[in-house]
Amino acid sequence: MRLVISIILTTCFAGIAEWYAPWWAAALVAGIVGLYQSTTAKAFLVGFCGIGLLWLGFALWRDLPNQHLLSDKLAQLFKLPSGLWYLLLTTILGGIIGGLSAWSTAHMKRLLHSKQE
Amino acid sequence: MRWFRIFPLAITVGLLWLLHHPMGKLPALAKIIDPVNGALAAAEDVQENFNKNLKLIGIQAPVQIWMEERLVPHIQAQNDHDLYFAQGYIHAYFRLWQMDIQTRAAGGRVSEVAGEKAINFDRGQRRKGMVFGAERSLAAMEAEPRTKAMLDAYRDGINAFIHSLNYRQLPLEYKLMGFYPEDWTNLRTALLMKYMADDLTGRTDDIAYTQLRDQLGQDQFDFLFPERKQGNIPVVPQGTRYEPASLQAPPAPSDSVWAHFPQNTETVTANKSETTPKFMEMYAPADAATGIGSNNWALSGSKTQSGKPILCNDPHLGLNLPSLWFEMQLSAPGINTYGASLPGAPGIVIGFNDNISWGLTNNYRDVKDFFEIKQLDEHHYQFNGSAKNFELKIETIKVKGRKDLLDTVRYTLHGPVMYDASFPDETHSNKQLACTWMGHRGSNELLAVYLLNRARDYAQFVRAIQNFQCPAQNFAYADVAGNIAIWGQGQFINKWRGQGKYVMEGIDSQTLWGPDIPRSENPHAFNPAQGYVASANQQVTDSSYPYWYNGSFTEWRSWEINEKILGSNSPQTQQNTGIAARKMTITDMMTIQNNNDSKLADEVLNVIDTINKNALKNWLGSWSGTMQALDKNPTDFHIFWSMLYRDIWQDEFPQAQHKWPSTERTVQLLQQVPKSDYFDDKNTSQKEGLSDLVQRALLEAGDSLKKLKAENKSEWYLFKNTSLTHLAKLGPFSYEHLKIGGWGNTINAASGNHGPSWRMIVEMDTHPKGYGVYPGGQSGNPGSQHYSDYINYWVEGKYFELNFLPQGTSKNPFRYAWTMETGK
């Protein structure tokens, strides 16, 4: 349950942050969330799902009313077979950015903690 | 070992950094793929609501903009300032990146955003004096209060839009190419106008002709490259009486004034193709061999069913997306005009108003000449026996990912030294060649546009176009009072016979350009007896015009239009088309603009079948020379003709930079001198004749066609591949293999990368009725359905009815409405 709430919070806060700041704001939000996770693996999962979901959601919100006109063209630019693949690429890239950010701050936290001990 | 915990952060930060910065060919991936602010932000809802209420600093009184479902805006402003402000805002709203990249190209600033592949292109633009000319024109436009006000308001409108943008709202291409819009300046508009001037008058044959004349001798040169093509039907109808020239023809100096180029250079590739990066090709001139150009004609009421004049125009220009043109109506007290505007410049360039209509084709009179400069030392050149100083202009070319490049351009009395050892000409002669170009002058074509948009009758039309100096255009005219006219309008020089046809020595004043021909003496015809006027880039006048000029004119489409279709003198013609025999309608005009008959093919079929007993008939059956999209015969013919044309001339003119005799002249030789020595292949020991060359071309064509057949590319449209190419050459944003017929020498002049860029038909009824279409769509955003929604219409030869609203219309008949009000 905590995991799901963390993911949803990541998605929401990163969404708000990205609306007012460049894309790396999502990495920042995921990094902060990462500090509060019990294990580094969980941190990665929360970051991956949180940002991946955000990017998938945004991509769908733009792509569906556009009837895939642009996603199909962008897919061609990236040598992908169709717009759906482009959405997949978006989701995975968002996931990796979020996951790595949360995972790395989780490690940092442990580094600093162990220092104090 | 806890320190390993620092690695994840290092890796993450490193990766994020990489994703944020472009690396080599890879763009900044995360910046682009991020669906919140990146590329997908340009995905437009197909149900997008285009209504808008804007509060803008700079607007003086409320402006109404009504917009059709296909996004044609109709601006109603209460004063000129707001009209052009709103036009600037709208142009930028739909086409900002295009306006930016085109004017960057004009001024040689592409490397700044595209990197070092564009350096030579940029150098060429600077060296030919594009910025030099634009700065002078800017001064002229800003010295005239009406155009100054127009430019300023237009610029402010563009900037109001630019300033409203955040990164998310930037046009897609900025994100992909990784740069940002700059504030618009009036110089950008001046550069756009020079870009058009260069596109239309910048290409000359001077160097090639100089070589050819030396190689062939004057007689043979004149025989193969006649100044006036046989059978020319001039723009200004034959028999038009010209007033005597107010200037005397200057005496021609002796032959010593010509420069000479090395003859036996190895086959070298032309400078052009070497220096033009692939993606900049659309800025390179098209191949004249296909007969590019434009058509316009105006019929008097005596030739139309309605009894009202009809004006038609289809300028053939580079086919790109976003399209060159943007359709709109401009309305304010004293002006109500509709037509095609150029994003980047205020006003309507081709169109009509409540009283008159006008259409343009390029007038190919030569206005660019080259001079060989005799350098004395680093700082001086020789002129009239003394040493003159070069004026140095240091061009700073910014290059993305590299340090700036400095190029010194030396200016002389003859203009900038375009070619020298550091930037060689097409023959690699290492000569210092300066060019004098009409486009270097400070002229105010914008004033012509301003006045044309408001002109109420013929007299005002004539006064308006007197301001149009370069690029020279054939202006066709029709009005509601029932008049038609045509003007070969531009600024020309009173040249001595032959001046500027070949490269000249620049050592003394004999070769300097002389006085201007008064523009009122430009050739023109008003309500000629034949009942119509027509131009298609052919020779402008018959030989009775008192001033000498030369130029690269083409005749095929003019013959098509004049003989086959519009002229009612030839009974044979009337049987063919059935159109000229009766009074014409709008539908007839549409049929004619989309006509794919090739007179070249027709004549070649006839002459070859006489020489080689039905060789082509046996092959192509009853095909009569119509270049239909889905037909395979045009491909067969085209390949055969290309082979024959090559086999005829390649042995005489083997060098890459050589220009071959025109197709018009070649066909005439086939018809008139079938036993000519030119039909012998000089590279073989035996003597060939035309019939041998035809046999050979048939064999060669057969081989090529087999290959095409194997690739399933033998249908004409597949072979010729008419394409609309995105300005940055991005494949997914381009459209290829459009199912359209025609070729450069047919009226529907859709070749590979050039074609009818705006088909317009206007009937000058009490309230003018217009029809039009262009290849593309109003939106420049590849993520919008309006990016490409006109393409099929254009391909199929269909037209939109142009909804020209009467001045003061009070109810919005269209789907969308914008309002602009004064903001704080």
Side-chain angles (χ1 to χ4, degrees), chain B residues 633-647:
Chain B
N633 287 320
T635 313
D636 293 357
F637 169 79
H638 180 79
I639 292 183
F640 161 74
W641 167 246
S642 307
M643 299 290 176
L644 182 63
Y645 184 64
R646 190 195 65 188
D647 290 346

Side-chain angles (χ1 to χ4, degrees), chain B residues 12-247:
Chain B
T12 305
V13 171
L15 183 78
L16 296 186
W17 192 88
L18 282 179
L19 288 169
H20 191 65
H21 293 90
M23 299 294 287
K25 280 200 163 172
L26 262 187
L29 276 180
K31 240 175 143 176
I32 289 171
I33 292 177
D34 162 28
V36 185
N37 300 301
L40 265 187
E44 187 182 277
D45 190 340
V46 293
Q47 308 283 333
E48 177 78 15
N49 177 355
F50 282 95
N51 292 314
K52 257 184 206 310
N53 295 305
L54 297 165
K55 291 218 185 297
L56 298 170
I57 299 168
I59 284 281
Q60 294 170 353
V63 178
Q64 288 275 9
I65 302 168
W66 296 336
M67 198 141 50
E68 297 178 43
E69 201 167 343
R70 63 181 182 95
L71 299 188
V72 178
H74 301 252
I75 302 179
Q76 288 183 307
Q78 298 179 40
N79 56 60
D80 281 1
H81 169 274
D82 289 352
L83 182 68
Y84 295 117
F85 185 100
Q87 192 188 15
Y89 191 96
I90 289 261
H91 273 167
Y93 182 87
F94 288 109
R95 301 288 187 84
L96 178 61
W97 177 80
Q98 168 191 17
M99 291 156 62
D100 191 346
I101 201 77
Q102 279 178 332
T103 47
R104 273 179 184 278
R109 286 186 55 200
V110 179
S111 320
E112 203 175 317
V113 297
E116 51 192 3
K117 62 189 169 194
I119 287 179
N120 274 329
F121 173 82
D122 282 347
R123 282 185 75 197
Q125 295 296 93
R126 309 281 182 104
R127 297 177 75 97
K128 69 171 93 145
M130 293 292 287
V131 184
F132 171 68
E135 281 169 349
R136 290 169 137 200
S137 275
L138 179 62
M141 290 189 281
E142 291 194 331
E144 149 62 46
R146 286 168 294 185
T147 45
K148 161 89 170 133
M150 192 183 186
L151 279 173
D152 288 350
Y154 182 73
R155 174 201 62 206
D156 293 345
I158 296 172
N159 287 334
F161 176 70
I162 292 178
H163 297 158
S164 76
L165 293 176
N166 60 29
Y167 181 79
R168 179 165 49 243
Q169 295 158 324
L170 278 187
L172 178 56
E173 292 92 338
Y174 282 112
K175 297 177 185 173
L176 295 178
M177 293 177 77
F179 71 106
Y180 294 87
E182 287 174 357
D183 275 9
W184 192 262
T185 58
N186 292 348
L187 178 66
R188 290 275 191 137
T189 300
L191 279 166
L192 179 71
M193 314 209 44
K194 292 300 174 190
Y195 164 68
M196 294 309 294
D198 180 51
D199 189 35
L200 297 168
T201 68
R203 208 179 59 89
T204 78
D205 300 320
D206 296 10
I207 296 174
Y209 277 179
T210 308
Q211 272 193 322
L212 286 165
R213 178 174 170 276
D214 281 349
Q215 179 189 338
L216 293 165
Q218 188 74 55
D219 287 351
Q220 280 306 300
F221 176 82
D222 288 342
F223 178 74
L224 293 179
F225 299 89
E227 259 169 34
R228 173 177 301 282
K229 296 195 179 98
Q230 273 176 34
N232 156 253
I233 302 170
V235 172
V236 174
Q238 228 134 16
T240 300
R241 267 182 47 89
Y242 297 106
E243 294 295 316
S246 63
L247 303 174

Side-chain angles (χ1 to χ4, degrees), chain B residues 556 560 564 596-609 616 620 623-627 633-638 640-641 663 667 670-671 716 743 745-746:
Chain B
W556 292 113
E560 281 289 342
K564 261 191 164 162
N596 293 324
D597 290 346
S598 165
K599 187 176 168 69
L600 167 89
D602 187 35
E603 300 211 346
V604 170
L605 289 177
N606 280 331
V607 64
I608 296 297
D609 278 344
L616 294 183
L620 301 174
W623 183 67
S624 61
T626 305
M627 312 297 270
N633 287 320
T635 313
D636 293 357
F637 169 79
H638 180 79
F640 161 74
W641 167 246
T663 51
V667 171
L670 295 176
Q671 292 164 333
W716 176 232
W743 189 237
N745 52 28
T746 68

